[in-house]
């Protein structure tokens, strides 16, 4: 996948996977990233977490928080087609900090491509594993991609997240 820089704040809609472009987010993209994250969480069914718990998770990292991370040098890569921003991924060393796919981009293989993109770069930086905190909804996704659930739980906003690791 080529790394192509362009403005990322266009409307969301379905896309073919062959037309995916990747750009490094700028400070101007913090609101877009926050919206993708929020919409991805709120689109989950309220069968594991209640609607109130999903809302609390969605509100945990707002535009100001994500802007601060960008200003501090945290790289965010936005996955787009020619007209839409469909998801983003971000990591720090061997820690996969964010991987969110907008509802309109889900179930098309984009999450797997984003995960592979991050894993390749983490490995190129000489790390032999990748780890992350996951809320319950994407756990099966990570397991399908070779991640193993660890015996640790973290609850940064009062909701449990489980640790996953994968050897690279």
């Amino acid at each position: 996948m080529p790394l192509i820089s362009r403005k990322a704040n266009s409307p969301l809609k379905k896309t073919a996977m062959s037309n995916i472009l990747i750009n490094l987010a700028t400070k101007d993209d913090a609101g877009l990233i926050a919206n993708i994250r929020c919409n991805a969480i709120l689109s989950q069914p309220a069968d594991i977490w209640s609607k109130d718990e999903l809302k609390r998770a969605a509100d945990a990292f707002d535009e100001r928080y994500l802007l601060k991370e960008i200003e501090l040098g945290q790289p965010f890569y936005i996955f787009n087609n020619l007209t839409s921003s469909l998801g983003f991924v971000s990591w720090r060393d061997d820690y996969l900090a964010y991987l969110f796919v907008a509802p309109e981009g889900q179930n098309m293989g984009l999450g797997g491509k984003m995960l592979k993109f991050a894993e390749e770069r983490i490995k190129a930086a000489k790390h032999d594993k990748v780890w992350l905190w996951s809320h319950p909804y994407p756990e099966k996704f990570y397991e399908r991609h070779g991640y193993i659930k660890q015996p640790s739980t973290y609850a940064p906003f009062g909701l449990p997240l489980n640790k996953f690791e994968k050897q690279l």
Side-chain angles (χ1 to χ4, degrees):
M1 281 183 259
L3 181 61
I4 298 175
S5 181
R6 67 170 203 72
K7 270 291 204 199
N9 42 7
S10 54
L12 299 172
K13 65 182 188 181
K14 286 246 182 224
T15 183
M17 285 306 301
S18 61
N19 296 327
I20 296 298
L21 307 174
I22 305 164
N23 70 291
L24 182 61
T26 68
K27 294 186 292 187
D28 293 337
D29 295 316
L32 169 69
I33 291 167
N35 285 336
I36 292 171
R37 183 187 175 283
C38 182
N39 291 336
I41 292 171
L42 291 177
S43 71
Q44 301 305 310
D47 58 355
I48 297 174
W49 287 350
S50 71
K51 286 185 180 189
D52 288 340
E53 289 170 327
L54 287 167
K55 177 84 170 105
R56 191 166 65 216
D59 291 343
F61 302 104
D62 63 9
E63 181 178 350
R64 289 180 312 243
Y65 179 88
L66 296 166
L67 175 61
K68 183 83 167 168
E69 290 212 322
I70 292 169
E71 289 174 340
L72 292 173
Q74 175 77 23
F76 288 80
Y77 293 90
I78 302 172
F79 285 62
N80 311 280
N81 67 8
L82 296 176
T83 61
S84 305
S85 297
L86 298 172
F88 71 92
V89 64
S90 181
W91 62 91
R92 186 178 317 113
D93 299 320
D94 63 348
Y95 169 55
L96 184 65
Y98 301 94
L99 191 155
F100 286 93
V101 178
E104 296 83 355
Q106 293 176 6
N107 301 311
M108 298 179 355
L110 180 60
K113 289 194 181 297
M114 293 168 56
L115 187 59
K116 183 177 179 186
F117 176 85
E119 289 173 351
E120 288 171 350
R121 280 141 187 87
I122 291 168
K123 186 173 184 174
K126 307 292 186 223
H127 298 286
D128 61 353
K129 72 172 170 91
V130 61
W131 68 276
L132 58 98
W133 293 108
S134 176
H135 60 82
Y137 292 93
E139 287 183 356
K140 292 201 183 319
F141 165 80
Y142 289 116
E143 289 169 346
R144 278 195 316 272
H145 289 279
Y147 285 75
I148 299 169
K149 191 181 228 181
Q150 303 300 305
S152 317
T153 302
Y154 175 56
F157 37 88
L159 298 169
L161 302 178
N162 293 305
K163 185 175 182 181
F164 282 79
E165 284 186 6
K166 178 181 179 179
Q167 294 300 309
L168 298 175

